[in-house]
């Protein structure tokens, strides 16, 4: 995000001659360590402070003349306290105003007042300012080189923004809208608590409730393709998509990867993957995603974020891809690696609390807020088990709810053993969530014994759901052959009774990962009958690229 700017010293005086003089003297002594700004009125100075606040910079010292039109120096310093409470405050006064200056010591917690003129500055100005800057340096305002997000604790839009930034590995600072610093940022941006979420960049640009495309642009992610035609377009940034992007770009194909939300997919949300080849101590999904992203970029792949592909069509030898905003890109070949999403838990009351206590996936941003609280997780596969281990580091108790009798049918043995060793984790077999309730967030769950039908109520504000998998392929309806559950059928499975799929005009059969449209391949979880593991997804992504080369050579 760039180096931090020097702390600010702001001088305020409506007399141009005096204003230039005080700024000149201050800059001469402190200009190498501080950025000296000057304003000609209180309102102008407050605007400058709000801009500095939005940029996440520090203000060390305020020097304000007392007798100014519109707003006196005392009034300005009082207002400035709300924006930068730690900044040191000095009032410049004439001899006749010393009573006002003394009174200001109590009103605005004034640090010092200086009589005008202050010459020579070596005797009357610098010793005072030196002492104040030394005192400020002990407890300076917190500067920020990160994006700042101001929002409500139980706000679904606020969670969505935090989750987007976290999953895209964008550093940010989270501030509650009723915290003093959150209030100051809202005021500086001219926003209110009702306007949250507010997002402020390190450069001071503020945006109220941005959508994901706007947020991606603010965070410095690429959202506009550099070209209109590619050798290979990869749709989906999970392990399969990243594998295709790495191998495609490294082998000289002009490659772009398009991701609708965040690279990594479900694997990217995993707190720890311990059975991935080459990582004997395990690796977090975020770490694996970050390495794969950097590797793809190193080889020249282009990564587009927050762009959703909504249409696929043929145009001669090209494949056209239409984005949600109506724009298009084209390519010789396409790899579909859109993965799967967790199935929605259909129980009364839960939909109202999505993002406000009910979360799909690990939602790692919420873990620190679960300290010494009870957390409920629904699901019996590896992703649920990994989440249970992760949340056990924060929560007082983690309840893992499964419909079956045990975990052996759906979870890796190493993970089952790990869960059994953690006292804070309790597995509840034959248990289903049948309802949820609360006021502004989830407060209670209704659980049901699937054998007896007996229900009970538990108090909790945290439910994380990992049930089933649904492919995001509705946009391909009528374009590609899919199985009854929506997964994409590829290769030999497309041959029915030895006949090639309808519309297939080539003299050969579809390649192993090729779909019913020549030159369009599927890899990873979105492919019918695929093995739902990270390693196999990466392998299929790489294999798809080898088939892309075979397809291109035959054209």
């Amino acid at each position: 995000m760039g180096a931090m700017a020097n702390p600010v010293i702001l001088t305020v005086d409506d007399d141009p001659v005096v204003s230039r003089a005080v700024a000149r003297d201050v800059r001469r002594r402190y200009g190498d360590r501080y950025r000296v700004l000057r304003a000609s009125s209180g309102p102008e100075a407050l605007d400058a402070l709000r801009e500095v606040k939005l940029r996440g910079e520090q203000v060390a010292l305020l020097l304000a003349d007392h007798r100014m039109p519109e707003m006196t120096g005392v009034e300005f310093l009082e207002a400035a306290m709300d924006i930068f409470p730690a900044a040191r405050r000095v009032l410049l006064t004439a001899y006749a105003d010393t009573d006002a200056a003394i009174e200001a010591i109590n009103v605005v917690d004034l640090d010092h007042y200086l009589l005008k003129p202050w010459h020579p500055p070596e005797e009357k100005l610098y010793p005072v300012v030196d002492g104040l800057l030394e005192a400020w340096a002990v407890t300076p305002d917190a500067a920020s080189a990160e994006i700042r997000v101001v929002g409500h604790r139980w706000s679904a839009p606020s969670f969505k923004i935090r989750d987007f930034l976290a999953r895209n590995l964008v550093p940010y600072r989270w501030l509650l809208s009723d915290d003093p610093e959150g209030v100051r940022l809202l005021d500086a941006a001219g926003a209110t608590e009702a306007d949250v979420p507010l997002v402020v960049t390190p450069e001071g640009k503020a945006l109220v409730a941005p959508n994901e495309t706007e947020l991606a642009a603010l965070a410095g992610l690429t959202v506009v393709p550099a070209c209109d035609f590619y050798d290979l377009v990869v749709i989906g940034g999970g392990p399969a998509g990243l594998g295709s992007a790495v191998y495609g770009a490294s082998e000289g194909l002009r490659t772009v990867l398009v991701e609708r939300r965040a690279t990594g997919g479900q694997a990217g949300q995993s707190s720890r993957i311990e059975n991935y080849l080459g990582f004997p101590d395990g690796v977090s999904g975020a770490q694996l995603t970050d390495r794969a992203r950097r590797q793809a970029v190193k080889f020249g792949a282009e990564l587009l974020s927050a762009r959703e592909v909504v249409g696929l069509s043929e145009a001669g030898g090209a494949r056209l891809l239409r984005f949600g905003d109506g724009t298009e890109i084209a390519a010789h070949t396409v790899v579909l690696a859109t993965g799967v999403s967790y199935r929605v838990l259909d129980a009364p009351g839960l939909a109202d609390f999505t993002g406000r206590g009910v979360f799909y996936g690990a939602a790692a941003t919420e873990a620190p807020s679960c300290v010494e609280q009870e957390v409920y997780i629904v699901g019996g596969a590896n992703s649920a088990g990994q989440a249970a281990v992760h949340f056990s580091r924060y929560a007082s108790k983690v309840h893992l709810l499964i419909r079956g009798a045990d975990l052996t049918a759906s979870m890796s043995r190493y993970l089952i053993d790990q869960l059994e060793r953690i006292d804070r984790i309790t597995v509840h077999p034959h248990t289903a969530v049948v309802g949820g309730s609360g006021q502004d967030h989830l407060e209670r769950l209704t659980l049901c014994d699937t054998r007896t039908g007996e229900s009970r109520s538990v108090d909790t504000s945290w439910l994380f759901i990992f049930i089933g998998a649904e492919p995001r392929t509705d946009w391909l309806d009528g374009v590609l052959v899919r199985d009854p559950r929506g997964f994409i059928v590829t290769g030999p499975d497309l041959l029915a009774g030895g006949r090639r799929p309808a519309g297939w005009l080539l003299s050969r059969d579809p390649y192993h990962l090729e779909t019913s449209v020549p030159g369009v391949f599927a890899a990873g979880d979105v492919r019918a009958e695929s093995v739902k593991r990270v390693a196999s997804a990466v392998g299929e992504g790489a294999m798809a690229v080898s088939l892309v080369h075979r397809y291109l050579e035959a054209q």
Side-chain angles (χ1 to χ4, degrees):
M1 290 292 183
M4 290 301 301
N6 287 336
V8 168
I9 296 176
L10 177 63
T11 70
V12 192
D13 200 305
D14 65 309
D15 185 327
V17 175
V18 176
S19 177
R20 285 194 296 270
V22 67
R24 179 200 62 222
D25 288 345
V26 170
R27 192 173 287 112
R28 181 186 302 158
R29 174 92 165 197
Y30 308 103
D32 60 330
R33 293 160 287 157
Y34 295 87
R35 189 159 64 95
V36 181
L37 305 178
R38 65 188 182 98
S40 60
S41 69
E44 180 185 327
L46 290 175
D47 287 342
L49 289 180
R50 293 187 185 100
E51 185 177 338
V52 171
K53 168 62 73 175
L54 290 175
R55 288 200 299 265
E57 298 175 12
Q58 302 168 301
V59 173
L61 181 67
L62 302 167
L63 292 138
D65 182 49
H66 177 57
R67 290 202 176 206
M68 294 187 294
E70 297 184 79
M71 179 182 287
T72 67
V74 172
E75 291 170 337
F76 160 72
L77 291 173
E78 187 174 10
M81 286 176 64
D82 294 332
I83 307 174
F84 286 100
R88 298 297 168 167
R89 294 171 287 278
V90 176
L91 193 68
L92 302 176
T93 69
Y95 182 79
D97 295 323
T98 52
D99 289 343
I102 293 171
E103 182 180 352
I105 292 175
N106 298 320
V107 174
V108 298
D109 194 20
L110 194 67
D111 292 295
H112 206 90
Y113 69 91
L114 288 172
L115 293 176
K116 298 188 293 185
W118 56 85
H119 295 292
E122 289 77 12
E123 295 180 12
K124 297 184 177 180
L125 177 64
Y126 297 152
V128 171
V129 173
D130 284 347
L132 294 177
L133 291 178
E134 288 174 7
W136 173 83
V138 178
T139 55
D141 289 345
S144 176
E146 300 173 330
I147 285 177
R148 285 154 292 163
V149 180
V150 183
H152 294 301
R153 176 67 198 86
W154 297 112
S155 160
S158 297
F159 163 73
K160 188 175 181 181
I161 282 178
R162 293 163 57 212
D163 187 56
F164 178 86
L165 292 174
R167 292 182 61 185
N168 280 286
L169 309 177
V170 177
Y172 72 94
R173 183 181 173 201
W174 166 241
L175 299 163
L176 292 174
S177 57
D178 56 357
D179 283 347
E181 182 65 10
V183 171
R184 286 191 283 269
L185 267 179
L186 287 172
D187 178 67
T192 69
E193 192 171 351
D195 296 322
V196 299
L198 171 73
V199 179
V200 184
T201 70
E203 296 77 28
K205 184 175 182 179
L207 209 60
V208 172
N211 60 40
E212 288 187 348
T213 301
E214 293 171 327
L215 189 58
L218 279 178
L221 303 175
T222 302
V223 296
V224 178
C227 306
D228 55 12
F229 197 94
Y230 294 85
D231 296 318
L232 170 63
V233 174
V234 181
I235 306 176
L242 287 168
S244 288
V246 167
Y247 281 92
S250 68
E251 293 172 12
L253 297 177
R254 186 167 49 184
T255 302
V256 61
L257 182 150
V258 183
E259 170 55 47
R260 63 187 285 270
R261 190 119 198 277
T263 50
Q266 287 188 2
Q269 294 181 277
S270 296
S271 57
R272 196 145 207 85
I273 302 169
E274 298 193 59
N275 59 350
Y276 188 70
L277 184 68
F279 292 88
D281 298 320
V283 61
S284 74
Q287 290 172 325
L288 193 61
T289 297
D290 181 48
R291 293 180 183 186
R293 279 177 56 125
R294 288 189 283 112
Q295 196 171 17
V297 171
K298 166 192 167 185
F299 287 123
E302 187 181 335
L303 304 184
L304 293 186
S305 300
R307 296 302 300 269
E308 184 172 11
V309 179
V310 298
L312 168 66
S313 60
E314 297 181 74
R319 304 294 174 260
L320 296 181
L321 298 162
R322 188 175 73 258
F323 293 119
D325 62 1
T327 60
E328 292 183 337
I329 57 173
H332 290 301
T333 58
V334 176
V335 171
L336 299 169
T338 51
V340 294
S341 57
Y342 292 113
R343 197 168 65 242
V344 174
L345 179 55
D346 187 15
L350 292 188
D352 297 335
F353 299 115
T354 302
R356 297 187 295 138
V358 176
F359 306 94
Y360 288 88
T365 56
E366 302 304 295
S369 299
C370 298
V371 172
E372 297 306 314
Q373 299 185 49
E374 297 200 19
V375 168
Y376 285 76
I377 296 174
V378 180
N382 280 10
S383 53
Q386 290 160 351
V389 172
H390 179 63
F391 281 102
S392 71
R393 303 187 184 109
Y394 301 88
S396 59
K397 194 75 176 177
V398 176
H399 302 272
L400 186 58
L401 313 179
I402 60 173
R403 286 183 171 271
D406 56 44
L407 295 166
T408 55
S410 55
M411 189 177 292
S412 298
R413 185 71 244 177
Y414 83 90
L415 198 48
I416 296 174
D417 294 340
Q418 195 172 353
L419 296 179
E420 291 174 349
R421 292 194 296 267
I422 302 175
D423 293 337
R424 291 187 178 189
I425 298 176
T426 300
V427 179
H428 299 267
H430 306 293
T431 304
V433 175
V434 295
S437 59
Q439 294 298 317
D440 64 337
H441 67 281
L442 178 69
E443 296 176 4
R444 285 170 300 281
L445 288 175
T446 302
L447 308 182
C448 177
D449 187 312
T450 57
R451 297 164 298 179
T452 65
E454 182 181 352
S455 295
R456 61 188 176 96
S457 179
V458 296
D459 293 332
T460 185
S461 295
W462 306 100
L463 177 66
F464 298 89
I465 300 168
F466 301 81
I467 57 170
E470 295 179 331
R472 296 189 292 266
T473 59
D474 290 346
W475 62 282
L476 293 168
D477 187 31
V479 178
L480 301 180
V481 174
R482 300 181 298 155
D483 71 9
R485 295 187 298 159
F487 290 91
I488 299 172
V489 181
T490 61
D493 293 334
L494 287 167
L495 304 178
R499 293 189 304 273
R500 294 163 184 159
W504 186 271
L505 302 179
L506 301 182
S507 59
R508 62 168 176 83
D509 291 344
Y511 295 139
H512 179 58
L513 299 180
E514 198 167 19
T515 70
S516 56
V517 173
V520 177
F521 301 83
D525 290 358
V526 75
R527 192 178 68 82
E529 306 302 324
S530 65
V531 178
K532 305 299 188 281
R533 287 290 185 267
V534 176
S536 61
V538 173
E540 287 195 3
M543 185 190 302
V545 172
S546 69
L547 297 173
V548 163
H549 281 295
R550 188 187 301 180
Y551 170 84
L552 292 174
E553 289 166 0
Q555 297 307 299

